[in-house]
Amino acid sequence: MFKRMLAGGLIAGFGAGLFAAVLHFAFVQELILHAELYETGELVHFDTHAVGDESEAVSHDGHDHSHGDADGADTSALTRNVMTVLFTGLIYAGYGLILAAAYQVAGLFGRQISLQQGILWGIAGFACFQLAPAMGLAPELPGTTAADITLRQIWWLGTVLATGAGLALIGYGRSLPFVVGGAVLLALPHVIGAPVLDEFHGIAPPELAGEFSARVLGVGLAVWALLGWLTARFAAPEAA
Amino acid sequence: MTQVIAKSTGTQTKALSILFVAIVGAGIVFFSGHAQSAALHDAAHDMRHATGFPCH
């Protein structure tokens, strides 16, 4: 059981990650590169002033936008893309393990995960890890100025946990109070609200940012659905 | 009695291995998605943007 969970989760994760990498280069990478032309100032959309406040633009919270890879300064495109494939595989391997563990928890409660249910679980995973966080913190193009990174990470994590618990209660709860509790958990992070700045500082055109967010979420949905299926195929608890 | 003990130990082992795998998975997600070391950030940069992590 342990071996199946570990190996199956990894296989499913790397498989889905490979699919994610293909979709990434088909749909997403070109928008990242395009946005970086605005980030570095090579392209200029409008003369950028903070909207809503005449005071000096917000400090960048000490974070440095001159990181090498992002600007393509000190690494080749090949290295950069290999890293992207590697880390895309890795992140989905992590998700695959989490999903495999979750299937086993369901197994402890006597639930079998069929391949079809696996797809639903995958979509739920997408909702937890990408869709719900994106409702407060839209996927960012490079060059986006946003609130403090630590605060955003805390909100991200809280949203993932609350959404996961909320969906589990709604999906598997046996009575109305469970469903209501689940709905409250789903809503909670958005009632609290994600950490955002008071002003807008976008340097890339909104069309580009909108397209980017939509594609990121579309790719995420497709990959997670596959991940759920693969994890059910390779790591779901076997019938006792 | 023996059976009951055996069953509860089995569940405990199961629970522990589930916990272990979940922690490894979460560790990988934290490491590739959230850790802020410069080298890691640069290497994971495009993936982080493309999967909706708060990046920088």
Side-chain angles (χ1 to χ4, degrees):
Chain A
M1 168 256 186
F2 177 69
K3 230 169 94 179
R4 180 172 164 81
M5 182 170 37
L6 191 66
L10 286 176
I11 291 170
F14 277 118
L18 223 57
F19 180 52
V22 171
L23 293 184
H24 175 86
F25 287 108
F27 292 106
V28 178
Q29 185 69 11
E30 54 175 312
L31 298 180
I32 291 181
L33 295 177
H34 196 157
E36 279 174 2
L37 298 180
Y38 289 97
E39 184 183 19
T40 55
E42 207 166 312
L43 289 178
V44 177
H45 179 223
F46 280 112
D47 229 357
T48 45
H49 286 298
V51 177
D53 194 334
E54 289 302 310
S55 66
E56 258 313 288
V58 120
S59 83
H60 283 209
D61 294 324
H63 56 240
D64 177 12
H65 275 224
S66 64
H67 38 74
D69 278 21
D71 305 323
D74 54 12
T75 337
S76 73
L78 180 68
T79 315
R80 174 179 178 165
N81 291 342
V82 167
M83 284 299 169
T84 299
V85 173
L86 211 73
F87 273 96
T88 304
L90 203 58
I91 196 84
Y92 278 100
Y95 290 147
L97 290 177
I98 293 172
L99 204 52
Y103 284 2
Q104 295 290 340
V105 172
L108 286 183
F109 287 96
R111 306 281 183 163
Q112 293 298 312
I113 309 292
S114 69
L115 294 179
Q116 283 90 342
Q117 281 170 336
I119 295 177
L120 288 178
W121 273 76
I123 293 172
F126 163 74
C128 291
F129 281 96
Q130 291 194 17
L131 186 60
M135 285 176 65
L137 302 171
E140 299 162 4
L141 279 173
T144 306
T145 303
D148 178 61
I149 178 76
T150 312
L151 291 179
R152 281 183 294 144
Q153 287 177 334
I154 291 170
W155 187 86
W156 184 96
L157 184 64
T159 304
V160 169
L161 293 175
T163 308
L167 288 178
L169 285 177
I170 290 174
Y172 287 100
R174 292 196 182 120
S175 57
L176 190 64
F178 283 101
V179 177
V180 173
V184 169
L185 279 178
L186 288 185
L188 192 62
H190 309 285
V191 173
I192 294 172
V196 289
L197 296 175
D198 296 336
E199 308 152 356
F200 299 115
H201 295 279
I203 46 173
E207 292 90 333
L208 199 61
E211 182 83 43
F212 176 77
S213 284
R215 287 191 187 186
V216 161
L217 292 176
V219 167
L221 175 61
V223 175
W224 269 96
L226 177 67
L227 178 68
W229 188 91
L230 285 172
T231 310
R233 171 72 184 73
F234 291 107
E238 284 158 322
Chain B
M1 180 66 182
T2 329
Q3 258 184 337
V4 173
I5 291 170
K7 197 177 170 198
S8 84
T9 324
T11 313
Q12 249 178 16
T13 317
K14 253 189 190 173
L16 275 180
S17 47
I18 290 171
L19 194 65
F20 175 77
V21 170
I23 287 174
V24 172
I28 292 176
V29 170
F30 174 81
F31 162 83
S32 20
H34 287 302
Q36 285 294 311
S37 94
L40 205 54
H41 168 273
D42 283 357
H45 178 266
D46 292 358
M47 179 281 289
R48 288 184 182 187
H49 278 283
T51 43
F53 282 97
C55 191
H56 36 67

